Amino acid sequence: MLRARASVVGWATFVLLGGTLLVSSSAVTQTIVVMLVWHGVILALPFIAAVLDALHRGIDDPILLALWGGTVSGVCAYLSFWCLFFDPVFAHVLLLSALIAALAVGWRSARRLTFSQRQICKRFLLPFGLCLVYAAVLLIAAISPSGAIDQPLEIARSRFSHALPFDNELPFLFAKNVLANNYQSPMFGDWLGSDRPPLQSGYFLFSTLGLSQLPWSWVQEELSYQIQSTILQAFWLAGLWILLNSMKIRRSAVIGAVALCAISGFAFVHGIFVWPKLLPVFHLALIAGFVFKSDRMQLSNVRIGALLGCNAALAILCHGGSFFALAGLGLYALITWKIPSIKFLIAAILVGLAMLLPWSLYQHYFDPPGDRLLKWHLAGVIDIDARSLSIALEDAYRTMTLKEFFSTKLSQISAMAGLSWQWPLLQVKALSLQLSSSDAVQLRGGQFYSLAAVLGFFAWAPLLFAFGQRFSSSDEMTAAKKLFSLSVLIVTIWTCAMYERGATTIHQGSLAVVMFALAGSFLLCFAWKPLVAWVLFSCQLLVSISLYIPLNEQQELSSSNSLSPPIADSVFVGLLVLIPVFFVIRHAVNGFGGAARNRS
């Protein structure tokens, strides 16, 4: 009873303090928080309803629960896109009906849960709460200092990186074209609507109820899209958290691995620059978790096969680069003899193809050719081309000699793993907080393109992967080896598939491999010497603070519509950071206590 009262008092204190700081913060920050709550609630309703219903039906595996929640949420977004495409009037009715049904199913199921089922449900609160807080911190840090409430997409293109192209705007333009029933091709520049999968556009259409305007004005519609998309990109955190927890490692190791990914500039850039490349990591991490822990009974369950097939299709409908990760997962399952039954495979393939078929028909018949990016990356054909993919591949490789082939693959390995000779010096300068503007641009660029640069002070961790068995046989080492083995397989498939020299910069593949490699690197060091892992983590944190908190030159001037000094926003962000830190520490302490009781 005393513990419950203390918890209520703690929450009340946080809410009161947070509300006070929010009221005193800038108008931009207040708008961000209001929109974030709106989109967070709409996105959460289908997921929560699905999880509660599955719990009520006796499913208690967190991986399967998250896969089912992600399936229902993704299908709602996908259906929103197609319904608005064919019949906007019917779509509005359907969207409202879906939300009402989610509320009804969630309420009915929640009332019937047992105490143990409620405890399972609570396990999802921390990772998904972290997603929202992480998204809020990113958005406020990126947008509030400039006060650029009317041009958030422009700010996002350079806040944490060098100036990036207009790719973050493409899903937004595609969604607006659906609402306006205007499908001009090319859609923007030389980009076709069929060049990028539609799921992120569908999510935006779903959370705005298919309306051209919500209570906020037309000027703030871009901000609404930016906020909703950043929440979606932050879902990688929940996926990775659930994956690592399913591997039965120490809670401190889970927290460290997820935190290392969260403080990486890689997560900053792709979380705020919302091209739909980080979103599929959620689905891919959950599929990886299932592959790692699946048993013979699960691998012969047709329903689970259909569930995995749907999540694989949703990952591809987020971004086509997910295929490399899915191929790596399939190869890992084959090597580790996690081979599913024929019925499982048939269910997964049929459901996956059924999900992909409507988009494939759109690409080939409504806005052809639809395979432009495939021919670009796999056959080096950049311009729109009428040839089929198979003919383009045959033409590309017909004239390539064996020497040229291996030279190309070596250049791709170099692009992925290579570091400039200045990189160690720049890391040291970042640690001392003495980076110049040119140094920051160079270091940011390295972390944007090179996998080794993203790993930072953990870049030497693959050596432990090669010789780790002689250091430790702990659960953390086992988990790290699984993540690194999967990463190696994905990278191998990716390298073999890409055509152009040096084409394996990390944003041209699946971003899941970066998360797996970062988490695996921390776990390898943690299994060897926990102190070493935490020291390297601290160094990485200092580098990220030095590299990504300072504003770019074009963002240093504050907008005149800011209603309060920047310090109010900074204090509010500080409180947002303290909330998850408090609950993560509490989570870790509870884990240590449980482990101690088990040992006694």
Side-chain angles (χ1 to χ4, degrees), residues 142-148 151 155 551-562 566:
I143 299 172
S144 289
S146 64
Q151 49 183 351
I155 292 298
L551 298 174
N552 295 337
E553 292 180 3
Q554 65 267 34
Q555 295 172 299
E556 290 178 354
L557 296 177
S558 178
S559 173
S560 59
N561 62 6
S562 180

Side-chain angles (χ1 to χ4, degrees), residues 83-84 87-97 179 209-212:
C83 290
L84 285 163
D87 190 341
V89 176
F90 171 73
H92 295 150
V93 175
L94 181 68
L95 293 179
L96 289 173
S97 300
L179 292 176
L209 307 180
L211 301 173
S212 58

Side-chain angles (χ1 to χ4, degrees), residues 391-462:
I391 293 177
L393 285 170
E394 182 181 351
D395 292 343
Y397 282 97
R398 182 188 296 125
T399 58
M400 180 180 285
T401 65
L402 192 62
K403 181 179 179 180
E404 290 173 337
F405 176 82
F406 284 111
S407 175
T408 299
K409 300 310 164 187
L410 286 174
S411 72
Q412 292 169 353
I413 294 173
S414 175
M416 183 167 35
L419 296 170
S420 70
W421 65 270
Q422 294 177 310
W423 183 79
L425 176 61
L426 292 176
Q427 291 284 95
V428 173
K429 290 180 70 175
L431 276 178
S432 62
L433 305 179
Q434 294 181 350
L435 281 179
S436 65
S437 298
S438 60
D439 291 337
V441 169
Q442 186 174 350
L443 200 51
R444 284 183 175 187
Q447 292 192 4
F448 183 81
Y449 292 108
S450 168
L451 178 59
V454 172
L455 294 179
F457 288 96
F458 290 86
W460 59 276

Side-chain angles (χ1 to χ4, degrees), residues 251-310:
R251 290 189 179 183
S252 56
V254 173
I255 292 167
V258 174
L260 177 63
C261 296
I263 65 168
S264 168
F266 164 83
F268 296 162
V269 172
H270 297 282
I272 207 70
F273 183 74
V274 290
W275 50 4
K277 300 195 176 192
L278 199 52
L279 173 57
V281 175
F282 172 75
H283 298 284
L284 295 170
L286 295 177
I287 295 173
F290 174 82
V291 171
F292 290 155
K293 69 183 289 292
S294 58
D295 54 31
R296 180 52 53 189
M297 183 177 296
Q298 290 179 323
L299 290 172
S300 59
N301 189 314
V302 175
R303 292 182 179 180
I304 296 178
L307 189 61
L308 257 67
C310 189

Side-chain angles (χ1 to χ4, degrees), residues 152-163:
L153 299 179
E154 182 179 343
I155 292 298
R157 284 194 278 270
S158 60
R159 174 59 181 95
F160 296 121
S161 67
H162 55 287

Side-chain angles (χ1 to χ4, degrees), residues 79-260:
L79 287 177
S80 299
F81 172 83
W82 288 116
C83 290
L84 285 163
F85 178 80
F86 286 110
D87 190 341
V89 176
F90 171 73
H92 295 150
V93 175
L94 181 68
L95 293 179
L96 289 173
S97 300
L99 292 176
I100 294 171
L103 279 170
V105 171
W107 176 256
R108 183 200 64 187
S109 301
R111 293 176 60 190
R112 299 179 181 180
L113 295 182
T114 64
F115 176 77
S116 60
Q117 289 172 333
R118 291 193 185 98
Q119 294 303 112
I120 294 172
C121 191
K122 286 182 179 179
R123 297 178 189 174
F124 289 98
L125 294 178
L126 181 58
F128 284 98
L130 290 175
C131 292
L132 292 177
V133 172
Y134 188 75
V137 171
L138 275 183
L139 288 163
I140 295 172
I143 299 172
S144 289
S146 64
I149 196 170
D150 57 339
Q151 49 183 351
L153 299 179
E154 182 179 343
I155 292 298
R157 284 194 278 270
S158 60
R159 174 59 181 95
F160 296 121
S161 67
H162 55 287
L164 295 172
F166 293 90
D167 294 48
N168 61 330
E169 198 169 345
L170 296 177
F172 175 60
L173 292 177
F174 196 32
K176 286 172 66 68
N177 286 347
V178 172
L179 292 176
N181 194 27
N182 176 22
Y183 300 96
Q184 60 180 358
S185 186
M187 179 178 64
F188 179 83
D190 63 345
W191 283 99
L192 306 178
S194 60
D195 284 340
R196 287 278 173 83
L199 194 59
Q200 184 162 305
S201 300
Y203 270 114
F204 183 65
L205 294 171
F206 178 68
S207 68
T208 54
L209 307 180
L211 301 173
S212 58
Q213 292 190 35
L214 280 172
W216 39 86
S217 67
W218 176 264
V219 174
Q220 295 177 358
E221 191 177 31
E222 282 193 11
L223 181 62
S224 178
Y225 163 76
Q226 174 69 56
I227 290 169
Q228 192 253 19
S229 299
T230 296
I231 296 173
L232 292 175
Q233 312 311 314
F235 280 165
W236 68 263
L237 195 153
L240 185 62
W241 182 282
I242 296 169
L243 162 63
L244 294 176
N245 265 306
S246 71
M247 302 174 85
K248 308 301 181 185
I249 59 180
R250 281 173 280 183
R251 290 189 179 183
S252 56
V254 173
I255 292 167
V258 174
L260 177 63

